[in-house]
Amino acid sequence: MPKAIPTCCPCDEAGCRVTVHYLRERKTGPAFPLAVIRCVTHGRSHTLYPPGQVPYGRVAIAPVDPAGRPVTSEEGAPALSGTLFEAAEDATADTDAEAGARWPESGSGAPGTRRTQGRRLHRAAVLLGLLAEPRRQERIAHALDVPQLTLREAATTYGAARSWRQRGEVLLGVLSAVLASQRHGVLLEAGHEAELWGLPRRWDVAGARFVPSF
């Protein structure tokens, strides 16, 4: 159960009566049920997601814990295990394989199958604006707080990549530039600009209202 339950729904109108409708089990994503709130006034339900998680997401999109705190490895680098970018990290892990390390065709023992790894590499590229047309790429660059030139050059390199290893290296390079600011919420805004999900908002306890989450 979240520590703070919203007292109004995202309609931003006063006079809402909000209750916890139920806890929704998840097969993927957070390792715990998610609270679904119900606005009795407007007759609408909304699911509350912890930081780093998004609707219909099978993995987190940012290396943060449920409280929004950065998760790092023993070396101090962002811990990408369990995130969308784990596929890119794994693709670059095997230095002996020219094509990069790939998840198995089927079965268990990895975060997913080879097809899943390919889909996540593609989704990460969309999130970071590497497959976007110039105007959308400009908006994504602004959301990520990185120069558009960085994304433009990365997009060119990504498009010319001939292996998953090379694509993974490009994705991790852009991600490193993004996470340098420690503002993980920018990935949520970028995903919105890339039309992967709706406008991300978080509950501001002090102001008792929903505000942009980036």
Side-chain angles (χ1 to χ4, degrees):
M1 184 71 69
K3 292 183 178 180
I5 300 298
T7 55
C8 71
C9 70
C11 67
D12 293 329
E13 295 179 5
C16 293
R17 186 162 67 88
V18 177
T19 63
V20 176
H21 194 34
Y22 65 95
L23 296 179
R24 181 159 64 88
E25 296 287 344
R26 286 289 301 266
K27 293 182 179 179
T28 58
F32 50 83
L34 298 180
V36 177
I37 60 173
R38 177 75 175 174
C39 179
V40 179
T41 306
H42 296 95
R44 293 183 178 181
S45 297
H46 307 273
T47 302
L48 302 181
Y49 291 86
Q53 300 286 344
V54 295
Y56 307 107
R58 294 181 177 274
V59 290
I61 59 125
V64 295
D65 65 14
R69 296 169 299 207
V71 179
T72 59
S73 64
E74 294 181 358
E75 295 75 24
L80 301 182
S81 177
T83 73
L84 178 65
F85 297 95
E86 182 176 11
E89 185 175 59
D90 284 357
T92 64
D94 189 350
T95 56
D96 295 327
E98 182 178 352
R102 300 197 175 194
W103 295 350
E105 289 283 358
S106 61
S108 58
T113 63
R114 185 168 303 180
R115 179 177 296 181
T116 299
Q117 187 181 16
R119 285 199 301 263
R120 290 182 184 173
L121 288 171
H122 178 80
R123 189 172 178 84
V126 173
L127 171 61
L128 296 178
L130 304 190
L131 303 178
E133 48 84 21
R135 297 188 66 178
R136 185 182 301 278
Q137 188 181 79
E138 181 180 7
R139 295 196 299 271
I140 293 175
H142 179 74
L144 294 173
D145 196 23
V146 297
Q148 186 182 4
L149 179 61
T150 298
L151 297 191
R152 189 181 306 147
E153 293 178 342
T156 300
T157 305
Y158 188 88
R162 310 185 74 174
S163 68
W164 282 10
R165 169 192 295 286
Q166 293 172 343
R167 291 179 183 177
E169 289 172 348
V170 175
L171 292 171
L172 294 181
V174 176
L175 181 66
S176 177
V178 172
L179 297 184
S181 67
Q182 294 294 315
R183 293 173 57 228
H184 299 83
V186 299
L187 290 169
L188 293 175
E189 183 184 3
H192 170 61
E193 294 293 351
E195 297 188 343
L196 293 176
W197 46 73
L199 179 67
R201 289 187 285 184
R202 64 177 176 83
W203 178 248
D204 177 26
V205 178
R209 60 192 180 95
F210 281 96
V211 297
S213 61
F214 37 84

